[in-house]
Amino acid sequence: MPPSIRANKQLEFRVIKELFKLFPISSIHYELVMADVDRTSGRRAARSGVGFSPVMVGQGKVLKWLSELAPVKTHQGWQRDGNGTSQLRKWLGLSKDKNKSSQVPETHAVDGVSLASFEFLQWQEWYSGSNKHGNWEGDVRITPAPFATIRRPPMVRRQLHLCVPSKGGKRRKYGGTITRHGIRKGDKVIAEKAGKVYTGWCSGDTQTQISVSNCHWKRIGQFTAKKVQLLQRSTGLIVVPSTGLSNLSTLSGAV
């Protein structure tokens, strides 16, 4: 896998392992992505020859990782007859927004809710004459829940040969997580300035100051190092609470 895609897949796996510490997870439902660029998929919408998308790359490796945690059941979004994510999502009455840059439940959560519902529903088919019918049977109640995005602190890696050497052959330090004040980049801190107290994450430093940023990595300000205290060492993850799923609580399709 390319390093950038491997890093994204490792982040997904890291989040899932954290969830295993919080909840008694018994099985995993995973959607296999089949991009339209791949004519081998057999779909009429395929636009070109054999191809791939970044989302497709590494799916096999992720499934291998996940199978070490719990049994994995795979689904495909476009499938019918009770195994397609899209079909179940529509039956549940969940609307999907395909604008991936929008960090809202309709973009990033509804498919996950649909995949989880497979565990509690079963597709039943019957015939009326020569006509085939089908419907879901089971019990699923979708209630409001918190929605959050999880990201890594966007820190620059240590770079030894980026800068032109100064007089004496010394190179200016650039990147990395170490600061001169005992606090690492990504650590959660509390800082005081002009009588006001701020909570954020260490994002940089100077000779006498520490830069503190919010959860979106926008700098709150630079604070005197002596007025910055460590709250928690960096976990490598930042959880950003967002809007709730209250819009998913009243569903015509749920039973």
Side-chain angles (χ1 to χ4, degrees):
M1 278 189 290
S4 59
I5 295 179
R6 175 177 285 274
N8 290 335
K9 299 301 181 183
Q10 288 174 337
L11 175 60
E12 293 176 12
F13 188 56
R14 164 79 188 281
V15 171
I16 292 172
K17 288 195 294 184
E18 294 295 329
L19 291 174
F20 266 83
K21 298 176 183 178
L22 299 174
F23 304 102
I25 298 174
S26 59
S27 63
I28 299 171
H29 290 261
Y30 189 94
E31 180 178 302
L32 292 173
V33 178
M34 190 71 71
D36 286 336
V37 297
D38 188 0
R39 280 186 178 169
T40 62
S41 66
R43 293 204 289 174
R44 296 179 182 178
R47 296 188 295 270
S48 61
V50 176
F52 64 91
S53 77
V55 181
M56 293 173 60
V57 177
Q59 288 186 128
K61 176 66 82 172
V62 173
L63 288 172
K64 182 178 179 181
W65 293 343
L66 294 177
S67 64
E68 298 173 358
L69 301 177
V72 180
K73 302 174 185 178
T74 59
H75 309 271
Q76 291 183 327
W78 53 272
Q79 280 185 312
R80 295 292 182 265
D81 297 334
N83 200 41
T85 311
S86 175
Q87 182 186 22
L88 180 55
R89 185 183 67 245
K90 293 175 182 177
W91 184 83
L92 291 171
L94 301 177
S95 60
K96 182 174 182 179
D97 183 356
K98 295 186 178 182
N99 180 16
K100 293 299 182 182
S101 62
S102 180
Q103 295 181 345
V104 295
E106 291 79 7
T107 301
H108 296 282
V110 289
D111 279 344
V113 173
S114 301
L115 286 168
S117 298
F118 275 112
E119 186 70 14
F120 310 102
L121 296 172
Q122 187 174 5
W123 179 256
Q124 299 289 343
E125 295 181 346
W126 67 92
Y127 285 87
S128 176
S130 59
N131 297 323
K132 184 179 180 181
H133 304 276
N135 199 10
W136 297 97
E137 291 189 2
D139 186 19
V140 170
R141 293 181 178 87
I142 301 175
T143 59
F147 175 74
T149 56
I150 301 176
R151 59 180 301 192
R152 296 189 192 92
M155 295 177 290
V156 179
R157 295 291 183 184
R158 181 81 168 99
Q159 300 184 34
L160 298 177
H161 304 290
L162 177 70
C163 303
V164 176
S166 60
K167 192 174 182 179
K170 295 182 179 180
R171 296 180 186 270
R172 179 174 65 88
K173 177 181 176 295
Y174 184 85
T177 59
I178 304 300
T179 69
R180 287 160 279 197
H181 310 290
I183 293 177
R184 305 187 191 108
K185 294 178 184 177
D187 288 350
K188 193 171 185 179
V189 298
I190 184 170
E192 181 184 350
K193 188 175 186 179
K196 293 184 179 181
V197 177
Y198 303 85
T199 302
W201 286 263
C202 174
S203 57
D205 73 312
T206 65
Q207 189 71 34
T208 60
Q209 295 180 315
I210 293 177
S211 297
V212 178
S213 298
N214 62 16
C215 58
H216 301 288
W217 220 247
K218 301 295 183 182
R219 192 162 73 178
I220 298 173
Q222 291 182 308
F223 302 82
T224 303
K226 294 181 180 180
K227 294 187 177 182
V228 178
Q229 295 181 0
L230 176 67
L231 290 178
Q232 183 184 24
R233 286 295 184 189
S234 174
T235 61
L237 298 176
I238 294 180
V239 181
V240 184
S242 186
T243 56
L245 297 184
S246 57
N247 56 324
L248 305 184
S249 58
T250 55
L251 303 171
S252 58
V255 295

